[in-house]
Amino acid sequence: MLKYQEIAHELEKYIEDHKLQQGDKLPVLESLMAQFNVSKSTITKALDLLERKGVVFQVRGSGIFVRRHKRKGYISLLSNQGFQKEIEGFNLTSKVIELDVRKPTQEVAENLNIGPDADIYYVKRVRYIHGQALAFEESFYNKSIVTYLNKEIVSESIFNYISEGLGLKVGFSDMYLHVDKLNEEEAEYLGLKKGDPKLYLESVYHLTNGQPFDFSKLTYNYEQSQFFFQSNSHFF
Amino acid sequence: MLKYQEIAHELEKYIEDHKLQQGDKLPVLESLMAQFNVSKSTITKALDLLERKGVVFQVRGSGIFVRRHKRKGYISLLSNQGFQKEIEGFNLTSKVIELDVRKPTQEVAENLNIGPDADIYYVKRVRYIHGQALAFEESFYNKSIVTYLNKEIVSESIFNYISEGLGLKVGFSDMYLHVDKLNEEEAEYLGLKKGDPKLYLESVYHLTNGQPFDFSKLTYNYEQSQFFFQSNSHFF
């Protein structure tokens, strides 16, 4: 972790520990520099990171303020750490239904940017939150990047394993979302009825070098899932 | 528009005009500096902005690459310009059902951070895309910020009016999303059946100074709407 990331981490902890609320003002730059004993540019980078994360907002000429929403029980859609991290603080378990090595369909090959003869790991799981079926998942990993998976690994957080076990650097992701009705298989896994609503999310996860390594399809139980996300004002 | 925002705009146009694809490499910093005749720090700020917008990704020691998804017909969830901008390139119209000034419910007052005696504008509309009902909308504007609305204004883009007509600076937003079944009123407005799936999105839009000015509730037609969003790798 780089210095400015550490500082950002500590600042975030400070905000939580002091139970600061939306709109509360942080100390001025000079105080933060003194408090953490770092340069102005390190503090600035830390604050920029926190702004992008939606933890603070900066008002030109006025200061840095805490950004904090009040609603509980929402899953963040945008913390780009795979599924596990998104629901930190929730009690999450998995049941592995299938795990094998296979050739990609055309759809999977296009999303992973690989040829039809490449090998992929196919993972089919049901994810549970507090013991309730939260989502039905099918994931496709480019085996030339994610070189090894087994049943024990995929019954826990695959993303933890990918970054810590395999040492890969997870970068950006593209996500596609729509709402539809559950088919029979999905309904059965989620304990719902065919035709009930579903939130369907396709994601393509890339390494920091831009290579897609994971294409995943998640079908969420509408009774168990509500999502939260934030937008910044950095766009023109 | 600041210089680096202009450059970012031109770079984005360059990528579009040259039909660059995901993974295509941009010229090195020095070439971009020469091409746009600006300093290194301006180019760097422009590229950072484009990275946050999901237009490029930077690989340390390797260069700047184009980020571009291939799917058409998806509405971006995160361009923070209100509804109109999100579906740029789509043919969007509105039918205004109600517009009045009233007192907020407790829910609205909490989300707009105002007292029970403050005045709000209440707007109820159906939004159409290519003539099909896309969403049923209820919006609540803090009247002390959005001081004037009329039927003509709310039949077009309220956000355009807010930023250009009233000169307000739209900042960040918090969004809450879940999936549920349509009730009778929603189904009627959307031309669907009671019990059909809906994507339900609540948003709180803030000015750049952190004041919430708009609390909106959108119920999307699941047959007409699919969403796209991107995540960056800036989080720890």
Side-chain angles (χ1 to χ4, degrees), chain A:
Chain A
M1 204 183 271
L2 297 171
K3 191 69 191 170
Y4 79 93
Q5 293 173 319
E6 261 175 52
I7 303 294
H9 212 68
E10 286 185 45
L11 272 168
E12 201 173 355
K13 200 172 168 310
Y14 174 92
I15 290 168
E16 276 164 29
D17 290 347
H18 290 74
K19 296 192 175 31
L20 297 188
Q21 298 304 312
Q22 170 117 357
D24 284 352
K25 193 175 173 179
L26 286 187
V28 295
L29 276 190
E30 290 70 21
S31 311
L32 294 173
M33 284 162 63
Q35 185 177 338
F36 292 106
N37 195 23
V38 292
S39 69
K40 186 172 176 185
S41 85
T42 302
I43 285 289
T44 304
K45 278 175 85 172
L47 290 170
D48 283 349
L49 176 59
L50 289 179
E51 185 162 28
R52 287 200 292 267
K53 269 192 85 182
V55 175
V56 303
F57 62 97
Q58 307 194 40
V59 182
R60 198 180 293 231
S62 180
I64 303 130
F65 300 86
V66 172
R67 190 170 164 190
R68 202 166 209 201
H69 71 99
K70 300 162 196 160
R71 303 191 190 185
K72 302 283 170 225
Y74 282 76
I75 299 171
S76 170
L77 259 187
L78 283 177
S79 69
N80 190 19
Q81 306 293 317
F83 199 85
Q84 187 80 31
K85 180 80 182 216
E86 280 161 22
I87 46 175
E88 220 170 2
F90 296 85
N91 181 3
L92 192 77
T93 53
S94 299
K95 192 174 96 186
V96 182
I97 299 159
E98 259 180 274
L99 166 67
D100 59 41
V101 174
R102 56 173 73 174
K103 302 296 176 191
T105 61
Q106 196 186 336
E107 179 202 21
V108 171
E110 273 170 19
N111 280 287
L112 288 177
N113 204 23
I114 53 178
D117 294 328
D119 282 329
I120 56 156
Y121 272 112
Y122 170 69
V123 180
K124 189 169 173 176
R125 304 191 287 186
V126 181
R127 317 295 311 261
Y128 297 86
I129 191 163
H130 305 306
Q132 304 282 330
L134 171 67
F136 168 65
E137 175 191 4
E138 286 182 285
S139 288
F140 309 85
Y141 295 90
N142 181 344
K143 191 173 178 298
S144 76
I145 299 173
V146 180
T147 49
Y148 181 75
L149 289 176
N150 67 22
K151 208 148 182 178
E152 192 181 337
I153 292 165
V154 304
S155 69
E156 314 230 328
S157 166
I158 300 179
F159 269 62
N160 273 358
Y161 163 76
I162 285 173
S163 47
E164 282 158 38
L166 297 179
L168 296 170
K169 285 192 179 145
V170 176
F172 59 89
S173 56
D174 295 333
M175 305 189 198
Y176 306 89
L177 181 157
H178 71 262
V179 171
D180 210 334
K181 294 178 182 174
L182 290 170
N183 65 30
E184 205 146 341
E185 186 190 22
E186 295 161 344
E188 202 179 307
Y189 284 123
L190 296 177
L192 295 169
K193 289 195 201 107
K194 185 183 165 188
D196 274 349
K198 71 174 180 188
L199 185 140
Y200 177 74
L201 180 67
E202 288 189 3
S203 306
V204 182
Y205 292 94
H206 304 74
L207 299 179
T208 49
N209 71 8
Q211 265 191 297
F213 68 93
D214 174 20
F215 172 54
S216 79
K217 303 175 174 192
L218 279 156
T219 302
Y220 284 93
N221 181 337
Y222 78 104
E223 289 181 334
Q224 300 298 331
S225 47
Q226 39 187 16
F227 298 91
F228 167 68
F229 55 100
Q230 295 178 307
S231 164
N232 289 321
S233 49
H234 289 297
F235 306 129
F236 7 102

Side-chain angles (χ1 to χ4, degrees), chain B residues 111-126:
Chain B
N111 280 286
L112 289 177
N113 204 21
I114 53 178
D117 293 328
D119 282 330
I120 56 158
Y121 271 112
Y122 171 70
V123 180
K124 189 169 173 177
R125 304 190 288 185
V126 182

